[in-house]
Amino acid sequence: MLKKGLVILAVVVLVATMIFPQSLNTIKKRGKLIIGTEPTFPPFEFVDEKNQIVGFDIDIANELAKRLGVKLEIVSLPFDSLIPALQQGKIDLIIAGMTITEERAKVVDFSKPYFEANQALVVRGDSKFQPKKIEDLVGKKVAVQLGTTGDLVVSEVKGIEVVRFQKFTDAFLELQNGRVDAVVLDEAPAKAYVKKFPKFILSAVIDTGETYGIAVKKGNRELLNFVNQTLDILKSTGVYNRLLQKWFE
């Protein structure tokens, strides 16, 4: 009976570990916080000239790791692979400029919103086509990043031919080569791309009232509470505003 009880206890512990691989104690014992991101989304996450992943989200992730007393490990994944990786316990958090949506909230838990965003329409600078609203894209080929809010927004409008890519850089390459008429993406990275590559212009910003959140595995209240508390501390101490000035001004 004792052996049987030990076996049952071991199974319970194993199952608990599988369900909540991102518990704070597990992260502290491991010595690192593992986040998933898709680093082609400046200024939130991107690869700099030193081949390092940097950005607004990465600075927030570093603050989270610092408060836990652990190192930060960044896992680069395609955007549409981030939620499956979180569900499988391969990463602790998703910090990737991810818009909070009802559909995503069914499979992950989101932190408090930490950034407000809208969608932008980007076209070639030499193009006579300058859409001012999503409906202007009807009858056109539009490039988006797979699984992003831009993908969701244009997919809801009939008559738009949507071309999906794993990376925004590929979407802009397609636009540059004239194989699509526009790219739809979040406003902040759109402005960053246009600033860096003047061959593109930001034709319009669509007010979609989006907010970004940090995603944790469904049901992991301990980690979610820690993330929310840290966001509150970053805002109350002025750290959040300094990061905004660093990356957006």
Side-chain angles (χ1 to χ4, degrees):
M1 291 296 293
L2 180 59
K3 289 184 178 180
K4 183 178 180 182
L6 289 174
V7 171
I8 293 173
L9 178 60
V11 171
V12 170
V13 171
L14 177 60
V15 170
T17 304
M18 292 171 64
I19 295 173
F20 297 112
Q22 310 103 323
S23 71
L24 296 185
N25 282 337
T26 300
I27 293 170
K28 289 177 180 178
K29 288 179 181 178
R30 185 203 300 148
K32 58 185 178 182
L33 174 68
I34 305 173
I35 70 154
T37 196
E38 200 280 303
T40 63
F41 199 64
F44 292 92
E45 42 268 328
F46 62 99
V47 179
D48 67 6
E49 63 277 359
K50 297 179 181 179
N51 206 35
Q52 301 292 314
I53 298 177
V54 298
F56 180 71
D57 282 346
I58 306 306
D59 281 357
I60 290 178
N62 273 307
E63 292 291 338
L64 290 166
K66 186 191 304 181
R67 282 183 51 77
L68 282 173
V70 299
K71 295 181 179 179
L72 179 68
E73 179 177 317
I74 304 169
V75 178
S76 175
L77 293 167
F79 191 82
D80 63 330
S81 297
L82 289 170
I83 288 179
L86 182 65
Q87 292 173 319
Q88 295 162 16
K90 295 179 180 178
I91 56 178
D92 301 317
L93 302 170
I94 298 172
I95 309 182
M98 181 171 280
T99 300
I100 299 171
T101 67
E102 289 184 8
E103 287 301 310
R104 289 173 180 156
K106 291 176 182 177
V107 293
V108 302
D109 284 335
F110 279 109
S111 69
K112 297 177 178 179
Y114 71 92
F115 194 87
E116 296 181 359
N118 294 303
Q119 291 298 300
L121 313 184
V122 178
V123 297
R124 292 185 302 278
D126 60 0
S127 174
K128 294 180 180 179
F129 175 60
Q130 294 193 14
K132 298 304 176 186
K133 56 185 185 297
I134 292 292
E135 289 73 18
D136 291 342
L137 301 174
V138 173
K140 303 294 184 180
K141 292 181 71 173
V142 179
V144 298
Q145 185 179 24
L146 180 66
T148 60
T149 308
D151 184 1
L152 300 175
V153 169
V154 297
S155 296
E156 290 176 351
V157 181
K158 292 183 179 180
I160 299 177
E161 184 178 348
V162 185
V163 186
R164 298 175 176 87
F165 296 92
Q166 291 283 358
K167 298 179 179 179
F168 271 126
T169 47
D170 294 335
F172 276 98
L173 182 61
E174 201 78 348
L175 178 63
Q176 176 183 314
N177 292 333
R179 290 191 285 265
V180 297
D181 301 294
V183 173
V184 176
L185 73 162
D186 290 32
E187 180 182 2
K191 287 181 175 178
Y193 272 105
V194 169
K195 183 177 181 180
K196 187 174 182 179
F197 303 106
K199 67 186 72 175
F200 303 120
I201 62 170
L202 199 159
S203 181
V205 173
I206 310 300
D207 184 0
T208 51
E210 302 164 49
T211 54
Y212 294 165
I214 297 171
V216 306
K217 192 171 184 179
K218 198 74 176 172
N220 194 340
R221 303 301 301 179
E222 182 186 22
L223 184 54
L224 182 64
N225 290 338
F226 166 75
V227 171
N228 282 332
Q229 289 166 6
T230 301
L231 289 175
D232 286 342
I233 290 170
L234 295 182
K235 290 181 179 180
S236 65
T237 57
V239 174
Y240 180 84
N241 282 336
R242 288 198 293 273
L243 294 181
L244 285 178
Q245 292 172 357
K246 174 182 177 181
W247 294 106
F248 296 97
E249 294 184 5

